[in-house]
Amino acid sequence: MLDLRLTRAARPAVQLRRLLVAAASAGTGFLLLSCLGYALKRPEAAGSAALRLAWCVVPVAATVYLALAVARTDPGTRPRPGLSAIGLGPARLMAVSALVTALSTTLGSLVALSLFLHLRGDLTGLPFDGAGASFLAAGKSLPLAATLTLLAVVPVVATVAVALALRPSDPRPVVRPQRRYLPFVRQAGGPAVGGRAAGGPAAGGRTDEVEAAGGGGAAGKGTPAAAAPAGVIDPRFTSPSLTDKADDEGAGDTPAGLPWAVALVAAGLTAQAYAGRKPPTPAFTFTTVPTGAGLFLLGWLLTAVGLVLAAPGLTHLCGRLLQCARPGALRLLAGRGLMAEATRIGRPLGILCAVTAAGYAVTTLYDSPGRPFGPLSALGALVVAGCAFATLLTVAVETRQGRAETTDALLRLGAPATVLRGAAALRAFALLAFFAPLTLAIAALAAFPLTR
């Protein structure tokens, strides 16, 4: 009952995000059912039906990513002090998040099934003068097992992804044994490593003399040296602990992987340019992929992955550029915020850039009278683009929630609220000014082989 109250008592913004997940699930479920209808209508075109189903992996992944982002920002399922005492520990809250995600996606799948049956004419007759009968297999009975399997894809995958991402972890740090970097370093209170044990016969007398001299010198100065047990490595030659490394790392460290991401983008554009020397025949569409189009698809995939991996590093670079040339308080605050949240904001921003570049290439591909942009293609593009944009907004909300304590501290110190709002606007403008030309340039280069 308490879990239900936590779910129902959410703010309108949280409920709106859950409705967005349900809408994305409904669109993806309708696309999957449309693939089933196409296969029932044209049983001889099994390859084309399988290709349509394979393209549905993209909206399914976009919907699952949106559901995961919404689950992370749900304030009702966030661990708070005192909830464990009433039985709402981290594991229980994770189960609540997974349950809410399952309910939202299942609602969307039911809406998709109702709309699909309505357009087929199974409920009240064929609407729109039977315009959807050509690809919805109107008049043919739907196989129950296939229908339920396709409708369960999004709820099951989204629920499992949320459960795995939000699973509670052990708060205790993992203690690992110290590693010796120099095998010949003398141990404290014993001989060199690789020699005999302390007091054994294999050690030379020189080592014992040096140790005795060192101990005597220390005693003569009034600071007797404590005898360390044998087998303890000299701390001067040990690697720094994980805690020390975490203390040394600042919030604005450069995200790793930027050189590899740039290499992937360059490799993808090169593959597309190489494949564009000889256009594939027949023409490339969503339902017919010719043999020579494999290099095109590989190039698009490499370019998209490279954009996603490069976005955190580029976001960090935006923060550094904002702070150059004697910055004031406004630019310094905006730049440090971008550097601290580069990884969290960069990934969904990179996905949005990749979707935009792919959308430009698809628009160029279908910019001809012989290959019209059909309703199902438009629905798929709307689902993917909408999920990418909604995920970016959701991550922005999560970032704002993470900075709530810092914002409150600045307000208590007397910082004007206009400065904080100006810093947020400056961050958004800097990201737009940096990523918009970059995305358009990559999109133009990716679509250039298709226009030749």
Side-chain angles (χ1 to χ4, degrees), residues 89-428:
R92 185 73 174 273
L93 291 178
M94 180 270 295
V96 173
S97 299
L99 179 61
V100 171
T101 303
L103 291 177
S104 301
T105 51
T106 303
L107 176 62
S109 297
L110 293 178
V111 171
L113 178 61
S114 302
L115 182 61
F116 184 76
L117 295 178
H118 175 67
L119 294 179
R120 277 171 45 91
D122 295 338
L123 300 179
T124 58
L126 282 174
F128 307 112
D129 298 329
S134 58
F135 59 88
L136 298 181
K140 294 182 177 294
S141 60
L142 291 175
L144 181 60
T147 304
L148 294 180
T149 300
L150 292 177
L151 289 177
V153 168
V154 176
V156 171
V157 176
T159 304
V160 172
V162 170
L164 291 178
L166 301 183
R167 67 185 185 275
S169 58
D170 191 358
R172 295 173 299 179
V174 179
V175 180
R176 294 184 176 88
Q178 296 288 343
R179 298 179 58 187
R180 295 193 299 266
Y181 289 93
L182 299 176
F184 53 84
V185 174
R186 180 178 59 82
Q187 298 176 352
V193 176
R196 65 170 177 85
R206 180 63 180 171
T207 304
D208 297 334
E209 294 174 2
V210 172
E211 292 178 355
K221 293 180 181 180
T223 55
V232 178
I233 304 174
D234 193 338
R236 295 174 299 173
F237 300 99
T238 57
S239 61
S241 62
L242 297 178
T243 306
D244 297 336
K245 291 181 179 180
D247 294 338
D248 294 338
E249 292 178 357
D253 288 336
T254 305
L258 183 58
W260 291 104
V262 174
L264 284 178
V265 173
L269 295 177
T270 303
Q272 295 177 52
Y274 183 80
R277 298 185 308 167
K278 183 178 180 181
T281 304
F284 174 80
T285 61
F286 283 128
T287 57
T288 58
V289 176
T291 305
L295 200 55
F296 272 111
L297 296 178
L298 179 61
W300 283 354
L301 180 62
L302 291 178
T303 304
V305 173
L307 276 175
V308 174
L309 295 179
L314 296 178
T315 304
H316 189 275
L317 178 61
C318 286
R320 285 195 177 276
L321 292 178
L322 279 178
Q323 301 176 79
C324 64
R326 302 180 65 181
L330 183 63
R331 285 199 294 144
L332 189 62
L333 186 60
R336 291 297 296 175
L338 277 182
M339 292 172 63
E341 304 294 340
T343 303
R344 183 181 297 179
I345 298 178
R347 293 294 169 82
L349 185 59
I351 291 176
L352 181 61
C353 294
V355 169
T356 303
Y360 183 85
V362 170
T363 304
T364 305
L365 178 65
Y366 276 82
D367 191 15
S368 63
R371 289 178 288 180
F373 205 70
L376 294 180
S377 301
L379 177 61
L382 180 62
V383 169
V384 175
C387 288
F389 187 71
T391 303
L392 180 60
L393 294 181
T394 304
V395 172
V397 172
E398 181 185 3
T399 304
R400 182 180 179 183
Q401 293 175 355
R403 289 199 309 265
E405 296 181 359
T406 304
T407 303
D408 294 341
L410 290 175
L411 291 176
R412 287 194 302 268
L413 290 175
T418 55
V419 174
L420 301 180
R421 289 194 293 266
L426 184 58
R427 283 193 294 267

Side-chain angles (χ1 to χ4, degrees), residues 2-3 6 75-98 166-169 171:
L2 184 58
D3 300 344
L6 286 174
T77 58
R78 184 174 302 171
R80 290 186 294 271
L83 290 182
S84 298
I86 58 177
L88 288 178
R92 185 73 174 273
L93 291 178
M94 180 270 295
V96 173
S97 299
L166 301 183
R167 67 185 185 275
S169 58

